Amino acid sequence: MTVLAEARALQLVHGRADVRAAVGAARAAGETVALVPTMGFLHDGHMSLVHRARELADRVMMSIFVNPLQFGPSEDLDRYPRDLEGDLRLAREHGVDLVFAPSAAEMYPHGPQQVRVEPGPLGARMEGAIRPGHFSGMLTVVAKLFGIFGPDVAVFGQKDFQQATLIRRMVGDLDLPVRVEVAPIVREADGLAMSSRNVYLSAEERARALALHRGLRRGHELFAAGERDAAVLRQALWAALRVPGIEPEYAEAVHPDTLEPVAAAAPGTVLLVAARVGGTRLIDNAVLS
Ligand code: PAF
């Protein structure tokens, strides 16, 4: 991954008004704006979103906010990894122009959020079934970020496939004036999908976690060899996940837009897996081609 040879000036802001002023100045100069929403603890996966954003707009702006609204009561909000200093270093190196790092009070100034975006049926299965309320909290903060930045384009990662599908659908259903771009998954050399939560894994758990990618690869191999029965592909995913030390949660083959399970796999069908490895929930997916 290329890093800008000369670090650019990065503006760090904490207030919504500062974002509006910076976006206003960019617009006044005739520039377009890309937004990369994140929860921080940045890695190369995030940087690939930054690079895609740089291709699509004149200014690359990033939000770093661990959004309490999208965490359930028994989830990892308090221990979610945070490192603003490290994040700023990486963002600067990769040419981000502005980072918006608000407090919860700045994002939710009126106290508990009353009006929320509801995901509907697309958000009911898979992640939505396992993490009730998660997608409503996620869509609500993304809609707020779109309102605060008013970006021309926003870039999300394919690793959260259901999230990206829901964001696209929200933008379509609510006629939000923003283009949604989804960038491919970035993997470690051994295939593990990059995630801020990988930091929770011990060395042993990390080795076990490769089962998710192994299952997806097997599903892809079967498809490439001509297998079209989605039940067989699902079985291959389950088989990879049914190993000691892993608690599988789902293994699906779905249509990319409706997220409905398919009977026959076709190019574009998405294989999705989720599992707990030790105390850590991991998700991964692959689009069949
Ligand atoms: O994918 C994430 O990091 C978060 O869900 C997002 C989109 C930044 C909203 O909090």
Side-chain angles (χ1 to χ4, degrees):
M1 183 167 295
T2 48
V3 173
L4 291 186
E6 217 173 282
R8 300 160 61 111
L10 179 144
Q11 192 183 353
L12 170 64
V13 300
H14 300 286
R16 288 163 295 152
D18 303 317
V19 172
R20 293 205 173 100
V23 173
R27 296 244 177 273
E31 292 176 333
T32 53
V33 171
L35 170 64
V36 180
T38 80
M39 298 207 300
F41 209 68
L42 303 177
H43 49 68
D44 279 355
H46 296 110
M47 292 308 113
S48 78
L49 309 184
V50 167
H51 287 245
R52 184 72 188 116
R54 172 64 60 207
E55 290 168 356
L56 298 171
D58 302 312
R59 293 270 138 189
V60 177
M61 302 192 178
M62 172 183 275
S63 59
I64 296 181
F65 179 59
V66 183
N67 172 35
L69 221 57
Q70 68 188 75
F71 287 76
S74 60
E75 292 185 351
D76 58 345
L77 173 62
D78 290 338
R79 72 180 191 120
Y80 193 86
R82 293 161 169 89
D83 175 14
L84 185 58
E85 232 172 82
D87 289 348
L88 293 175
R89 200 174 325 113
L90 212 53
R92 192 175 290 115
E93 278 173 13
H94 288 262
V96 174
D97 296 296
L98 177 141
V99 167
F100 172 48
S103 63
E106 179 65 20
M107 278 306 277
Y108 300 110
H110 312 295
Q113 183 78 6
Q114 295 203 4
V115 176
R116 298 182 187 212
V117 180
E118 285 307 323
L122 276 184
R125 301 180 56 251
M126 299 187 290
E127 288 304 289
I130 285 163
R131 306 183 65 189
H134 165 68
F135 282 135
S136 171
M138 179 281 292
L139 288 175
T140 301
V141 83
V142 171
K144 281 171 73 74
L145 290 168
F146 287 172
I148 294 166
F149 281 85
D152 298 278
V153 58
V155 188
F156 297 88
Q158 188 202 306
K159 192 179 81 69
D160 295 288
F161 191 92
Q162 193 176 8
Q163 163 173 289
T165 305
L166 276 163
I167 291 168
R168 277 203 173 116
R169 186 70 198 227
M170 171 178 78
V171 163
D173 283 359
L174 301 183
D175 280 314
L176 302 181
V178 54
R179 166 179 166 191
V180 174
E181 182 75 10
V182 180
I185 298 176
V186 177
R187 299 185 179 280
E188 305 284 358
D190 57 9
L192 184 69
M194 287 196 184
S195 163
S196 304
R197 287 189 169 99
N198 289 351
V199 73
Y200 297 149
L201 298 168
S202 68
E204 207 181 295
E205 289 166 346
R206 199 197 164 294
R208 272 192 229 131
L210 294 177
L212 281 80
H213 181 237
R214 213 176 296 126
L216 293 170
R217 236 184 23 219
R218 181 71 192 128
H220 214 293
E221 279 164 12
L222 286 169
F223 181 75
E227 181 60 66
R228 293 295 178 268
D229 185 345
V232 174
L233 302 184
R234 281 187 203 100
Q235 271 163 21
L237 302 178
W238 279 113
L241 294 179
R242 278 204 198 96
V243 293
I246 296 198
E247 288 171 54
E249 287 184 340
Y250 59 78
E252 285 287 5
V254 304
H255 185 279
D257 300 324
T258 64
L259 302 180
E260 287 294 329
V262 293
T269 297
V270 192
L271 305 181
L272 299 109
V273 288
R276 277 184 186 278
V277 183
T280 308
R281 270 200 87 235
L282 298 175
I283 59 173
D284 200 351
N285 67 79
V287 180
L288 295 178
S289 56

